[in-house]
Amino acid sequence: MDKIEKLSPEKFLRLKSLGFSDRQIAYLIGTTEDKIRERRLSLNIVPSYRLVDTCAAEFEAYTPYYYSTYDKGDDEIKASDKMKVMILGGGPNRIGQGIEFDYCCVHASFALKEEGFETIMVNSNPETVSTDYDTSDRLYFEPLTLEDVLHIYHREKCWGAIAQFGGQTPLNIALGLQKNGVNVIGTSPQSIEIAEDRKLFAAMLTKLKIPQPSNGTATNETEALKVAQVLGYPVLVRPSFVLGGRAMQIIYSDSELKHYMRFAVEASPERPVLVDKFLEDAIEVDVDCISDVGLYRNTEKDGITVIGGILEHIEFAGVHSGDAAMVLPPHTLSDEVIQTIRNYTYAMARELKVAGLMNVQYAVKGDTVYVLEVNPRASRTVPFVSKAIGVPLAKLAAKVMVGKTLSEIGFTKEVVPDYWAVKESVFPFNRFHGQDILLSPEMRSTGEVMGIDKDLGIAYAKSQMAAGTPLPLSGTVFISVSDVHKKEVAFVAKLFVDLGFNIIATSGTADVLEKAGIKVQRIFKINEGRPNTLDYLINKKINLVINTPTGQTPRADEIRIRTTAVYMNTPIMTTLSGARAAALGIEAMKRSGYAVQTLQEYHNSKKH
C-alpha cells in the first residue's frame, strides 16, 4: 500500500479541516498535488461554502460573500441557472504591486453583466473594489491557488474563467486549470506559455524576424556566469514567472552575479533565471493593445488588433514599467520607429492568437526596435491608457473574451490624442526611513497619477503636482552626478541657469560645470565639513535636487542626501532624463501657467 492509500478518509478530512492544502500534503508524503487531489475526490472530501451575511440579518444581502470550510455543516451556495463566468483577481496587494489589475477585474465584471452573464469574483483581498458588494454577483474570499479555484469553478458549474485580468498570479495556474477541465476564455494558456517560456518566445520572434536583446537562461551559478561572459556586462537578471519585477537586477560584474545567484533567487530547471544583455541608454516603450484574433482560431477568417496606447518612458531602460514616468503619445520617437512598433505588435498578437488584451515592452536603441517581453494579459498601464484616450479597454476586452468581435463592439481604429498624458508613479519612501529611493528593474511604487495638457511641459508639471512634489519655479538647484553622467550634466545645468535658478554643487560636479562656463556655488560634501548638502536641505535652501547614483552600490552619503530630500518634500531627480523633463515643465509653467479641464473635455477634443 502506498503512502496515499494509507491516508484514511478520517485522517484526510482532519488534515483538510486543519487547513493543509493538497500541495502541502503532497510535499509532506512525497507525491504530487494531482495524485492527492485525485485521492481526495475519490473519497468525496470537498469543501462546503458558507455565506458571510454582509447586512447582519437586518436586510437581505444581495451579493453573497462565500468562504470555504471542511467543517461539518450545510453548503449555503444559492442555486442559479444563469451562465456564469469566473473572474480571477490579483490577490493581496503589496508594495510593488499596484491595484491596476483590480481595475481590470471590476471592468470585466461590469462588461459581462451587460452581456447577460452572472459574474463570480474570486479574490482574497477585502480592501479592493473587486470585492465590494456591488461589483459582482457572487464573491469568494479564497486563495488564488489551483485547488481552491477548481473547487469553486466546478461547484458553481461555470461556463468559463478569466485569468487575464489579475496579473501574474492567476496566469501561473492557467495551464493547470485548463488541464483540469476549466474553460479558460480569451487568449489560450498555450499562447501564454509561449510568451512566458524563454525558448518558445525566442523561437516565435525568430520566426517573425523581430529582434530581441541577446539572452540566455541559467539554473545555477556556473551557468549564469557562462551566459554573462557570452553576452558581456551589463546584464539584466530576473527569475521566471514573477510579478512586479521581483528580484530583477542589473548586474555589472561576476562578483555581483555570484552574489545574486547565491542569495537573491532559488534557481531550478523548472524556474530558471533569465539573463538578458542590458541595453544601456535605450528608450523603453510600453504598448497596450486589444485583439480579437483568438476568436478565429479554428476558422479561415482573420481578426484585427487595435493599439490602445504607445507610451514612451521618460527614464532610460532599466526602470520597471510600473515605476517609470511615461508619455502618451510618444514624444521623441520617429514616425518610422512608431510604425515599426505597430507592425511588431500586430504580428505578435496574430501569432499568439490573442483574444483580449496584450502588453508589449520594447527598447529602442538608435533606429532598432527590440522586444523585451510580451504579456498576453492586462497590464499596469491599461487603466492609465483607458482614461487618457477615453476608451474602457478592459471592458471591451472582456466582451471580446466571451465572443464579441471588435467590429461588433465598434472599436476598430487606434485613438491618437491631440494632447499629452503623462503618467507619474507615487512611492512610499517617506514611510521607510533610510530606504534609498533609486529606481530599478524591481517595482517599488504604490500608485500612479496623470498629468494632462495640450503642452507636454505643463502635462509633466501637473503630474509632479499630483504626485505630491510640485516643481519649483525659482530658487536653487543642487546637482551631484556620477562620473558617467558628467559629460551631459553641463547641458542640464544650463537649462536651469537659463530659467533663472542658482546652481550649487560639490567639488567633482562643480569642476565640470565651471569648465563649461556655468556659474556654480561650491558646498561641502557631508564628510568635508559644514554647512553641507544635508544642512542646506534641512534649512530649505535647496528647491530641487539632481542626484544620479555612482554605481550599483551607492555610497552612504548619497543615500542620506536622497532620503533627506524625500523627508523635506524637496523634488528630486535621480536621472538626467528626469531632470530635463523637469526643466521642460518649469519653462512651460513660467511661460504660460496652467489651466484645468475635465477628462471628458480632453476626450471630446481628440483626433482619430
Side-chain angles (χ1 to χ4, degrees), residues 373-604:
E373 64 177 273
V374 174
N375 297 300
R377 58 166 169 82
S379 76
R380 285 188 181 79
T381 46
V382 163
F384 178 86
V385 172
S386 299
K387 288 177 186 257
I389 67 173
V391 177
L393 296 175
K395 208 169 181 181
L396 301 188
K399 295 191 176 192
V400 167
M401 293 164 82
V402 295
K404 290 269 187 177
T405 67
L406 288 173
S407 297
E408 289 172 329
I409 295 168
F411 184 59
T412 58
K413 193 174 181 183
E414 179 182 349
V415 176
V416 181
D418 61 352
Y419 46 82
W420 303 96
V422 176
K423 184 208 108 174
E424 183 56 280
S425 300
V426 178
F427 299 93
F429 296 129
N430 58 350
R431 306 286 180 90
F432 298 95
H433 286 246
Q435 175 70 42
D436 197 4
I437 69 167
L438 282 182
L439 302 183
S440 72
E442 184 166 3
M443 184 176 165
R444 302 166 82 186
S445 62
T446 51
E448 61 188 41
V449 295
M450 177 191 288
I452 188 167
D453 201 273
K454 297 275 187 179
D455 183 296
L456 176 56
I458 294 174
Y460 181 80
K462 285 180 177 179
S463 74
Q464 301 309 296
M465 290 180 212
T469 50
L471 298 173
L473 300 184
S474 61
T476 300
V477 178
F478 168 73
I479 304 177
S480 175
V481 297
S482 65
D483 290 342
V484 296
H485 296 124
K486 290 216 166 115
K487 59 186 177 185
E488 305 168 58
V489 71
F491 172 78
V492 173
K494 190 169 187 313
L495 293 176
F496 286 93
V497 169
D498 292 344
L499 290 169
F501 284 84
N502 300 315
I503 306 295
I504 61 174
T506 48
S507 55
T509 304
D511 288 342
V512 175
L513 296 179
E514 284 175 347
K515 285 178 183 175
I518 294 170
K519 184 180 178 182
V520 57
Q521 177 190 342
R522 290 172 176 262
I523 61 171
F524 288 125
K525 292 180 179 177
I526 293 173
N527 58 359
E528 289 178 343
R530 305 185 70 173
N532 56 41
T533 312
L534 295 186
D535 297 318
Y536 273 71
L537 279 167
I538 292 167
N539 292 317
K540 292 285 187 180
K541 291 183 176 179
I542 294 175
N543 303 94
L544 177 71
V545 173
I546 300 171
N547 178 235
T548 66
T550 55
Q552 276 300 100
T553 308
R555 292 198 296 260
D557 56 350
E558 290 180 5
I559 296 174
R560 290 176 68 190
I561 290 169
R562 290 192 283 265
T563 54
T564 303
V566 170
Y567 303 148
M568 300 310 297
N569 209 33
T570 303
I572 176 167
M573 303 294 160
T574 58
T575 64
L576 291 185
S577 54
R580 284 192 291 269
L584 180 69
I586 293 167
E587 187 275 329
M589 292 286 285
K590 287 171 75 86
R591 175 175 20 92
S592 55
Y594 69 95
V596 176
Q597 280 185 283
T598 64
L599 269 176
Q600 290 79 6
E601 287 172 318
Y602 280 109
H603 295 160
N604 290 336

